[in-house]
Amino acid sequence: MQISFSPSMRSITISSSNGFFDLMKVKVAARHISYRTLLHTVLVLAFLLPFVFILTAVVTLEGVNKCSSFDCLGRRLGPRFLGRRGDGSTKLVKEFYKIFDQVKSEEIPVGVKLPDSWSEFMLDMKNNQYDAKEFALRLKGMMEEMDRELKRSALAEQLHKHFAATSVPKSIHCLSLRLTDEYSSNAQARKQLPPPELLPFLSDSFYHHFVLATDNILAASVVVSSAVKSSLKPERIVFHVITDKKTYPGMHSWFALNPLAPAIIEVKGIHQFEWLTRENIPVLEAIENHLGVKNHYLGNHIISANVSDNPRAFASKLQARSPKYISLLNHLRIYLPELFPNLNKVVFLDDDIVVQRDLSPLWEIDLHGKVNGAVETCKGEDTWVMAKRFRTYFNFSHPLIANTLNPNECAWAYGMNVFDLNAWRKTSIRDTYHYWLKENLKSNLMLWKLGTLPPALLAFRGFVHPIDPSWHMLGLGYQEKTDLDSVRKAAVIHYNGQCKPWLEIGYKHLQPFWTKHVNYSNEFIRGCHILEPQ
């Protein structure tokens, strides 16, 4: 490139080095050049010179590229400025799409060793020089194998959670043993519950009667303590805690040594109820001895795992196979009118709940002649927790279910229920419950496989009065993304699901609502290393 000045200094010419054409000519005034004009000229040159250099380089390379300078420049720089690929790249991508479509329906050859990582895959491609189709086929095989591995891991995680949820933690087992030992050696731990002077109140309908059936002492302590602390009238609370014969001494010791006055607490074992005989509940003996039931609840759960299963659906299947569902304690609520013949109304609580608000207003709810006041679980915003209809629980491919039930019928929740025992005694709810249990046994558990709620849904049909959902919030044991503000506002929160708050697998951000009711200063809690979460 050359810059030349005319003899008269009236013009400046910029041309290519070979003189092929003038790139720019600037004419200068005849007499003088002002500083402003000179400044503007220099600025224009500073702006244009980079483009001049680019064009000069293109012209120099023109003979090599065999194309017009501006055409080459536009074709090469244009797609880059516009964010588009060149013609070659677009064509290559289209070819890949065609190849991927071809291998979509092809099976991976049996015996082909697929790489375990991307780096191994690329090394394999380079070493064997596979064509594009083989590349796509092996990539497909690798992705499918990784997908299967992810599902296997997710199913294994759910299986491990199931085993953790159905086993008794060492610390809780320790607590039961230590308290049982205390019952045998400490007269204070054996004192009568409640004291003799309070016995008449156990059947007094003026009081608010709660019923809790559990063999978990730590869980029972949280339920009772949270209910008493949240009550505006604790002096009117009567708790009837029912447990099995094995746990009874430890449960009695805990509440004898840790009274919650002015509330009244009664602890009874199943063996202390005269009505609970095999003659009155023959169906339970059938459940315990049925081979299909034993295999379902106590058999090899790994066999039921299928790689094609949705991990969440598999978790539900496992939860339904918890051995607690063949425990008399779990079926006990269906016999409340017989167990408490002198009571008119009770609130039944599960052992995995926490009471956060005064429950006295529950006794003022008019059930309009119905038996069971419960929260419906088909009308909430949470599609996983509050979208339960009969189709969720029952097998509608079975003719007995299909001909009897409506799959869209709304389900309701166990865990916090208001029972009008007077209205209940006028119904055949217990007999209906027994009938459906027997029918399910006859069909080898083909009517339902989801625990004790399905037969209750059938037995209480037509006898349920919906109560406000704010009374009972569910899902804290399997819904990790539970809204914390909603948890704080609920009267009762329910950790139904595998991830109980007293287990290591419990959700850490939901545990504090439960752990704040555990007395970590208690000598038995400390001695069994039930440690306060950090």
Side-chain angles (χ1 to χ4, degrees):
M1 183 176 66
Q2 296 178 347
I3 301 177
S4 58
F5 298 86
S6 66
S8 61
M9 297 295 289
R10 292 184 179 182
S11 65
I12 302 173
T13 302
I14 303 173
S15 62
S16 62
S17 57
N18 56 12
F20 185 73
F21 67 91
D22 294 338
L23 295 178
M24 184 178 296
K25 181 176 289 186
V26 181
K27 290 187 177 181
V28 183
R31 298 177 181 269
H32 66 275
I33 302 174
S34 67
Y35 289 112
R36 178 176 296 179
T37 302
L38 182 60
L39 176 62
H40 288 170
T41 302
V42 171
L43 291 176
V44 169
L45 290 175
F47 178 79
L48 294 178
L49 279 177
F51 293 96
V52 173
F53 282 114
I54 293 173
L55 291 173
T56 303
V58 170
V59 171
T60 304
L61 297 173
E62 190 175 50
V64 178
N65 291 312
K66 304 291 183 183
C67 64
S68 169
S69 303
F70 290 101
D71 180 61
C72 287
L73 188 64
R75 192 172 65 202
R76 293 180 182 180
L77 299 180
R80 296 181 186 177
F81 287 134
L82 297 175
R84 295 193 293 256
R85 298 184 180 90
D87 294 339
S89 299
T90 303
K91 184 177 180 181
L92 180 61
V93 171
K94 288 181 178 179
E95 290 297 325
F96 263 116
Y97 287 156
K98 290 180 181 179
I99 294 170
F100 286 139
D101 285 335
Q102 291 175 9
V103 302
K104 184 189 298 183
S105 59
E106 292 190 22
E107 296 293 333
I108 308 301
V110 179
V112 172
K113 186 181 183 306
L114 296 170
D116 296 324
S117 64
W118 177 255
S119 59
E120 187 178 328
F121 173 75
M122 293 304 299
L123 184 62
D124 186 34
M125 292 297 104
K126 291 177 182 179
N127 291 341
N128 293 284
Q129 297 293 310
Y130 293 125
D131 58 20
K133 183 177 180 180
E134 186 66 21
F135 173 90
L137 192 63
R138 287 177 175 267
L139 182 61
K140 174 190 174 185
M142 182 178 173
M143 297 301 292
E144 288 180 347
E145 180 58 31
M146 287 184 173
D147 184 57
R148 285 190 292 269
E149 188 62 33
L150 283 173
K151 284 187 176 180
R152 280 193 290 266
S153 298
L155 293 177
E157 178 187 3
Q158 295 300 336
L159 195 61
H160 295 153
K161 280 186 175 181
H162 171 73
F163 292 140
T166 55
S167 60
V168 179
K170 181 180 178 181
S171 56
I172 292 180
H173 182 60
C174 165
L175 182 64
S176 181
L177 292 178
R178 290 281 302 275
L179 288 167
T180 299
D181 182 64
E182 194 72 12
Y183 183 84
S184 63
S185 60
N186 184 349
Q188 186 69 15
R190 293 194 304 273
K191 71 179 180 180
Q192 185 175 344
L193 288 178
E197 64 273 16
L198 299 180
L199 287 177
F201 301 138
L202 296 180
S203 56
D204 190 338
S205 294
F206 171 78
Y207 289 83
H208 298 154
H209 295 266
F210 294 90
V211 179
L212 169 66
T214 179
D215 60 355
N216 187 327
I217 298 173
L218 185 63
S221 72
V222 169
V223 175
V224 177
S225 175
S226 65
V228 173
K229 290 178 181 177
S230 302
S231 177
L232 299 177
K233 302 174 182 178
E235 67 280 0
R236 292 187 64 182
I237 286 181
V238 176
F239 252 99
H240 305 269
V241 181
I242 307 173
T243 190
D244 56 24
K245 188 175 183 179
K246 171 177 62 68
T247 312
Y248 171 75
M251 188 76 74
H252 188 105
S253 293
W254 176 266
F255 288 106
L257 298 174
N258 299 279
L260 290 167
I264 300 170
I265 301 173
E266 174 192 36
V267 178
K268 292 189 76 172
I270 291 176
H271 59 289
Q272 295 174 320
F273 286 94
E274 296 180 359
W275 186 88
L276 288 176
T277 64
R278 294 289 177 182
E279 292 74 23
N280 291 328
I281 47 174
V283 69
L284 293 182
E285 184 174 5
I287 290 175
E288 292 175 358
N289 296 326
H290 191 277
L291 182 61
V293 171
K294 288 185 176 180
N295 288 336
H296 179 71
Y297 291 104
L298 304 173
N300 187 353
H301 295 355
I302 300 177
I303 295 176
S304 65
N306 192 317
V307 178
S308 62
D309 281 347
N310 178 293
R312 217 168 186 184
F314 180 60
S316 295
K317 291 180 183 178
L318 290 174
Q319 184 181 343
R321 298 181 68 164
S322 173
K324 73 176 185 178
Y325 292 127
I326 56 176
S327 164
L328 178 56
L329 281 174
N330 207 256
H331 292 269
L332 202 65
R333 71 195 88 190
I334 204 67
Y335 307 114
L336 290 177
E338 290 78 20
L339 299 181
F340 300 98
N342 298 317
L343 295 181
N344 299 328
K345 183 179 286 188
V346 300
V347 170
F348 189 93
L349 299 175
D350 275 354
D351 65 357
D352 52 354
I353 66 100
V354 174
V355 179
Q356 303 188 126
R357 203 166 72 217
D358 178 43
L359 299 185
S360 299
L362 290 176
W363 273 263
E364 307 303 322
I365 294 177
D366 185 358
L367 297 182
H368 300 283
K370 304 295 185 181
V371 172
N372 180 3
V375 169
E376 291 183 316
T377 54
C378 67
K379 299 178 181 178
E381 296 180 359
D382 190 324
T383 56
W384 180 250
V385 177
M386 300 297 287
K388 305 291 183 64
R389 297 184 180 271
F390 273 28
R391 71 168 70 91
T392 307
Y393 299 97
F394 298 102
N395 175 19
F396 277 88
S397 64
H398 194 283
L400 180 58
I401 294 296
N403 296 331
T404 307
L405 305 178
N406 177 2
N408 293 318
E409 191 167 340
C410 189
W412 46 267
Y414 254 167
M416 197 285 293
N417 302 85
V418 184
F419 290 120
D420 185 332
L421 300 186
N422 282 338
W424 190 340
R425 294 184 184 103
K426 300 174 185 178
T427 71
S428 58
I429 288 175
R430 187 191 72 192
D431 294 336
T432 304
Y433 188 88
H434 285 176
Y435 166 79
W436 281 106
L437 282 178
K438 292 175 182 177
E439 288 299 320
N440 198 30
L441 292 176
K442 287 179 185 177
S443 68
N444 200 25
L445 306 182
M446 291 302 294
L447 303 186
W448 69 80
K449 291 186 178 180
L450 286 175
T452 53
L453 179 57
L457 293 175
L458 296 168
F460 284 101
R461 284 184 76 203
F463 298 106
V464 178
H465 176 75
I467 63 175
D468 192 281
S470 65
W471 283 112
H472 186 189
M473 183 177 185
L474 299 109
L476 276 69
Y478 62 85
Q479 177 65 296
E480 185 175 6
K481 296 181 181 179
T482 302
D483 179 62
L484 293 181
D485 287 335
S486 299
V487 173
R488 295 185 186 97
K489 295 175 184 177
V492 170
I493 55 175
H494 194 174
Y495 291 84
N496 56 314
Q498 293 178 321
C499 301
K500 304 298 185 187
W502 55 81
L503 298 175
E504 286 293 330
I505 60 174
Y507 299 125
K508 303 307 177 188
H509 63 296
L510 297 176
Q511 284 180 323
F513 295 96
W514 185 87
T515 56
K516 70 180 181 180
H517 295 287
V518 177
N519 181 10
Y520 289 100
S521 63
N522 181 275
E523 60 174 312
F524 295 102
I525 298 290
R526 293 199 318 270
C528 288
H529 304 290
I530 299 175
L531 302 178
E532 187 171 5
Q534 299 299 320

